[in-house]
Amino acid sequence: MLYSLPLLAPLLLAGASLFAFRGPGLRPRRAIQVAEGAALAAFLVALLSGLVLALHGPGTSVPIGFGMLALSSRLDAVSLVMLLLVSFIGWAVLRYAGTFLDGEQRQGPFTGWMTATLAAVLLLVQSGTLLQFVIGWLLTSRLLHQLLLFYPERIAAQRAARKKRIVSRIGDVALIGAVLLLAKVYGTGDIATILAAARAGEGLPAVTVAAALLALVALLKSAQFPTHGWLTEVMETPTPVSALLHAGVVNAGGFLLIRFADVMLQAPVVLAVLVMVGGFTALFASLVMLTQPAVKTSLAWSTVAQMGFMILQCGLALFPIALLHIVAHSLYKAHAFLASGTAIETIAAIKRPGPIAIPNARAVGRAFLLALAIYAVIGLLFGFADKPPQALALGAILIFGVAYLIAQGLADAAPWALTWRTALYAITAATTYFALQRIADALMIGTLPPTPEPGPLEWTLMLTAILSFGAVAIAQSLLPLWGHHPAAAGLRVHLANGLYVNALFDRLLGGWTLPRTAAVTADTAKD
């Protein structure tokens, strides 16, 4: 019965959802209080579940149902981290929404849909059976669709929601196909049993097909190139929905790969595809992000880039680090969206600085050499020997971002205070990376599989990723020196439009001619 404790979390939020739907639409004070209380209670349930895990170890609750049609709660390190994360962010978003939507005519239904979506996500992350995983996945997608269309009269909202629905339905079909294949191959719907069998090498070669389908689902859910357009267009929804989407729901693709890590390891070619798609998406989206003038649009492209980097981590079989990335990105992005309004005011109030120190090519070269030297020293202190090559390659990619900051400090016009500060940032970043990696690996021992030794394909992909990210970081550092060139201005325009990939995707889907009823509704709303 102890392992059934996590099920209380989604039940509490589901009850709050029903209460919100029964209440008034305008200023539902009691419904807002109940929703916030249910989210806080869900977080406390997650904390108590952590105590159960610490005392009794991982386990699965008694199934509700029979055979393949059973539901159960799986409590281990992965599900516990996600329970804590989702319940905490859900509580913060609900508190924010209570004030943000004050006076909105349909605040009551909004609270109901929001709490229902949180309940579905909590049900998903603790799934102990394939059936529950599919139910949680489909419910999350459907309920999120309701939130995206909270303002159904807005044409842009309809377009984004329609595109997201098409992408999601393709992913849903692939997920159901993967689940049916896993259930047939292993003869059970229990996820823990399937993972143990996959870790033992059973089920080949059919499990490779299942891994490919799971990878497709994750790529679609995480808005990876070239199906990323729906995420960058979801701008007409209320800010709390954006925070929940970018800080929570979009992470479901990464969670899927982490949960079925043992299955994914049986298909090295599939992991290689994840590295290529995720790495390219991270580079592409990060460049586009720099050209976006709107705060929410820039944050959306940032999410696409972060999800690409997370997919890259999963492709390198660094599943504990990918889970850590989910936590860090979720907390950061929730804060970024909820504080986006005040951020604009804060930036506008800042006094314009004096001349900016522009590093030349020599300063950029010294910066990258210094960043790599700091990374090497910190790595030696933590011990390179027990680190997989994939983790070291990932660390090298991360340090390139810090090298960009160091380059500013090494510019000829930069004061010594800036030089020392940027060097300190580099040391802190390298130390934090190795420390958090060690913590994540220690917490996930026995839950997630260790990273395997890389083969020739993996070495080639790692080297390509390091060179690609390094080249982009150097180009960004030298941007002030070549950004005035006419070719750079043209490139900036193309990047601002996402290289028109989304327009091509729109044309592939047959355009966006809305039904007559929708157009009439929109015109009526304007009148």
Side-chain angles (χ1 to χ4, degrees):
M1 293 298 293
L2 290 176
Y3 292 112
S4 300
L5 178 63
L7 287 172
L8 286 177
L11 289 177
L12 288 168
L13 284 163
S17 175
L18 294 176
F19 185 82
F21 282 121
R22 292 171 59 89
L26 179 64
R27 288 194 169 91
R29 301 298 185 191
R30 186 64 61 85
I32 294 174
Q33 294 173 355
V34 170
E36 292 181 12
L40 184 58
F43 182 70
L44 295 177
V45 168
L47 290 176
L48 292 175
S49 300
L51 182 61
V52 172
L53 179 62
L55 295 177
H56 301 279
T60 304
S61 66
V62 177
I64 303 174
F66 302 95
M68 300 289 184
L69 302 179
L71 306 178
S72 65
S73 174
R74 175 67 183 172
L75 181 58
D76 58 17
V78 172
S79 62
L80 176 63
V81 168
M82 296 302 296
L83 284 170
L84 290 169
L85 178 65
V86 173
S87 57
F88 175 74
I89 289 180
W91 172 71
V93 170
L94 285 170
R95 280 188 60 85
Y96 180 90
T99 302
F100 183 84
L101 290 171
D102 186 47
E104 170 67 46
Q105 290 291 333
R106 295 186 299 118
Q107 187 177 12
F110 176 88
T111 305
W113 290 119
M114 179 69 76
T115 48
T117 303
L118 288 170
V121 176
L122 288 172
L123 183 69
L124 169 67
V125 298
Q126 62 178 284
S127 297
T129 64
L130 296 176
L131 176 63
Q132 182 173 328
F133 196 96
V134 172
I135 292 175
W137 188 277
L138 297 179
L139 280 177
T140 299
S141 180
R142 179 56 187 167
L143 293 171
L144 178 64
H145 185 76
Q146 293 294 328
L147 291 173
L148 296 180
L149 285 176
F150 182 68
Y151 297 118
E153 71 278 0
R154 298 182 178 181
I155 301 300
Q158 296 179 41
R159 290 174 176 172
R162 179 186 171 191
K163 184 179 294 186
K164 190 264 179 187
R165 183 172 62 246
I166 293 173
V167 173
S168 296
R169 292 298 81 79
I170 298 174
D172 294 343
V173 172
L175 176 63
I176 293 174
V179 163
L180 292 176
L181 186 57
L182 290 174
K184 180 179 180 180
V185 171
Y186 295 109
T188 180
D190 182 71
I191 293 178
T193 304
I194 292 174
L195 295 180
R199 186 175 300 187
E202 302 176 12
L204 294 173
V207 70
T208 303
V209 179
L213 291 173
L214 293 175
L216 175 61
V217 178
L219 293 175
L220 294 173
K221 193 70 171 182
S222 301
Q224 297 298 281
F225 184 92
T227 61
H228 58 276
W230 66 268
L231 186 60
T232 61
E233 290 182 348
V234 183
M235 296 295 116
E236 296 296 330
T237 187
T239 296
V241 180
S242 297
L244 178 64
L245 170 62
H246 291 264
V249 177
V250 76
N251 292 313
F255 171 73
L256 170 69
L257 296 175
I258 294 169
R259 172 50 76 197
F260 291 95
D262 293 288
V263 174
M264 301 307 300
L265 285 181
Q266 307 308 312
V269 175
V270 175
L271 292 179
V273 172
L274 292 178
V275 172
M276 291 184 283
V277 176
F280 179 81
T281 302
L283 288 172
F284 165 73
S286 60
L287 290 174
V288 175
M289 177 193 67
L290 297 176
T291 65
Q292 302 301 310
V295 174
K296 289 184 69 174
T297 306
S298 178
L299 289 174
W301 280 102
S302 170
T303 298
V304 175
Q306 292 290 339
M307 291 300 100
F309 204 70
M310 182 190 62
I311 294 295
L312 169 67
Q313 293 167 336
C314 291
L316 293 175
L318 298 171
F319 296 106
I321 297 179
L323 182 61
L324 177 64
H325 189 164
I326 287 179
V327 174
H329 174 260
S330 297
L331 295 175
Y332 152 72
K333 198 52 65 73
H335 176 269
F337 269 99
L338 298 182
S340 58
T342 57
I344 296 176
E345 298 174 358
T346 302
I347 293 175
I350 295 176
K351 294 181 179 180
R352 295 297 180 228
I356 299 176
I358 299 177
N360 54 25
R362 182 179 302 176
V364 171
R366 293 200 308 266
F368 276 79
L369 291 177
L370 179 58
L372 291 174
I374 292 174
Y375 177 67
V377 172
I378 299 298
L380 287 174
L381 293 177
F382 276 88
F384 274 129
D386 60 341
K387 300 291 188 298
Q390 294 93 323
L392 299 179
L394 184 67
I397 292 174
L398 292 174
I399 208 66
F400 288 148
V402 181
Y404 169 76
L405 295 177
I406 297 179
Q408 315 306 310
L410 294 181
D412 294 335
W416 276 106
L418 180 60
T419 302
W420 284 108
R421 188 181 304 169
T422 52
L424 180 61
Y425 288 160
I427 296 173
T428 303
T431 304
T432 302
Y433 171 71
F434 280 107
L436 291 178
Q437 179 200 351
R438 177 162 293 185
I439 293 173
D441 288 340
L443 291 176
M444 296 300 155
I445 291 178
T447 302
L448 294 177
T451 303
E453 288 293 326
L457 177 60
E458 287 77 14
W459 279 109
T460 302
L461 291 173
M462 285 190 291
L463 180 60
T464 303
I466 291 174
L467 294 177
S468 300
F469 280 90
V472 171
I474 292 174
Q476 183 180 355
S477 300
L478 296 175
L479 179 62
L481 300 179
W482 59 271
H484 63 278
H485 194 278
L491 178 61
R492 188 178 295 108
V493 172
H494 298 316
L495 286 175
N497 289 280
L499 301 183
Y500 313 101
V501 175
N502 197 30
L504 294 175
F505 188 39
D506 290 344
R507 178 169 296 184
L508 180 64
L509 295 178
W512 291 113
T513 302
L514 296 172
R516 180 176 178 82
T517 55
V520 171
T521 302
D523 294 337
T524 304
K526 292 180 181 178
D527 295 338

